Amino acid sequence: MEKVFVLGGTGLLGLETINELLDKGYEVSTIARNAEVMEDVLPDPVKERIIGDMNEMTDEQVLAMLKDKDAFVYAAGLDERTLPEAPAMKFYYEKNVLPTQRFARLARIAGVQKFLIFGSYHTETAGMWTDLNLQEQPYVKTRLLQEEVAFMEGEGSMEVMSLRLPYIFGTMPHRTPLWKSFFPRVQGLDVVKVPAGGTAMVTTKQVAEAAVGALEHGEHRGTYAISGINMKYDEFYKMIAESLGQTDTIVETVPIGQLKPSAEKMDETVAAKGKEHAIHMGKQIEMQNRDAFIDPNETMRILNYQEDDVRAEIRRTLAACAEEVQ
């Protein structure tokens, strides 16, 4: 039986990954700052439960914790929803890049054989849409750097891989899904205007299956963009309206020219307050005017994750959000 350490094990994706690892016969350990949350959400078979903050530990403490572990799943970090003080690039470098590099280095020293990062599909679209120069956006640039420094830390002795994750749907106890932040864009409105593009979507179950698949079948420097389905934004926003009981709300796809000026104004407003979006809003509208679609078959055949009823999971997730806002 292989031993896997999961950082972020009490979060939505980390917890689902722990359950999948246990189902596959792996021995799992994890760490959390909150003992009550850990006790409440972790399944009983997780015997090694460490209370603390890894970022506050010494190198010696981390090495002791990783002793005899075969694999490390990095299911932690901040996504692009955080609005930091400018410059955002420095913020995300310190929050996502530096901890990843440190823990990848220590994992290698401890003898860990495989290291998996839960990354972002924005690093995938940066390669798809080179004309948008997304790699210079603070969040995307630092996510790409996060992957690269981890790859280099593992070079020659530890296999390092990255899951590039799109929109993810699922729920867990005592935590409101992040999609609640989308509801003000729809709630109480008769007409909702959205960009013309769309995005890939997966369930937490698929992420967990792909994570175990990456540990079992992935290759060093492998970047795996996963998908369950591809969906246009207008369909997604209609589902939000339905979850709110707004059956008469009209969701209208409009040209980018109608949306970009207000998005750029949002960038100016936060800049005046000394803050900066992780991906500038004007750039986000350009991205959302395109289809960030991913062929599921390209990674399903490698990582052996399965099809799932993504739309049903979206409805369950949005229903949980609607309960909070109504």
Side-chain angles (χ1 to χ4, degrees), residues 15-225:
L15 181 59
E16 192 72 42
T17 301
I18 284 176
N19 286 324
E20 186 68 21
L21 286 164
L22 293 171
D23 286 346
K24 293 291 180 65
Y26 289 89
E27 186 177 319
V28 180
S29 61
T30 191
I31 185 172
R33 292 186 293 269
N34 191 312
E36 291 183 6
V37 171
M38 179 178 280
E39 183 65 26
D40 194 33
V41 303
L42 285 183
D44 290 338
V46 179
K47 302 304 180 186
E48 189 175 353
R49 307 171 178 218
I50 302 148
I51 307 299
D53 184 342
M54 246 175 113
N55 289 301
E56 300 297 325
M57 290 181 170
T58 66
D59 287 0
E60 290 72 22
Q61 289 172 317
V62 174
L63 287 169
M65 187 171 61
L66 297 180
K67 183 180 179 182
D68 298 329
K69 303 301 186 292
D70 301 295
F72 188 127
V73 177
Y74 194 102
L78 292 177
D79 64 26
E80 70 272 26
R81 291 172 298 142
T82 302
L83 179 60
E85 299 289 330
M89 196 171 294
K90 181 177 187 294
F91 173 84
Y92 280 101
Y93 175 71
E94 292 175 346
K95 295 296 184 181
N96 285 344
V97 179
L98 291 180
T100 304
Q101 183 175 27
R102 179 184 179 225
F103 296 141
R105 175 177 58 84
L106 293 174
R108 171 178 51 79
I109 294 170
V112 172
Q113 296 299 302
K114 298 186 178 183
F115 190 98
L116 176 65
I117 302 165
F118 280 12
S120 169
Y121 82 131
H122 291 307
T123 56
E124 188 75 10
T125 54
M128 292 166 53
W129 304 330
T130 54
D131 60 306
L132 293 183
N133 205 28
L134 298 178
Q135 68 276 8
E136 293 306 318
Q137 290 293 306
Y139 183 73
V140 183
K141 191 179 189 75
T142 51
R143 277 295 199 177
L144 286 164
L145 183 57
Q146 177 192 35
E147 290 181 342
E148 186 58 34
V149 296
F151 293 154
M152 288 191 287
E153 287 291 348
E155 214 69 61
S157 55
M158 181 176 71
E159 295 181 17
V160 181
M161 298 141 288
S162 177
L163 288 186
R164 293 178 165 179
L165 304 176
Y167 280 28
I168 304 164
F169 295 89
T171 60
M172 66 176 291
H174 314 303
R175 186 169 298 181
T176 302
L178 62 87
W179 302 108
K180 179 182 175 182
S181 63
F182 279 57
F183 276 59
R185 309 178 194 181
V186 178
Q187 192 171 20
L189 299 180
D190 295 324
V191 179
V192 177
K193 296 182 179 182
V194 300
T199 184
M201 298 181 172
V202 293
T203 66
T204 54
K205 175 69 171 173
Q206 288 178 307
V207 173
E209 290 175 347
V212 176
L215 294 178
E216 293 179 345
H217 308 292
E219 297 180 350
H220 179 57
R221 286 187 170 268
T223 56
Y224 303 103

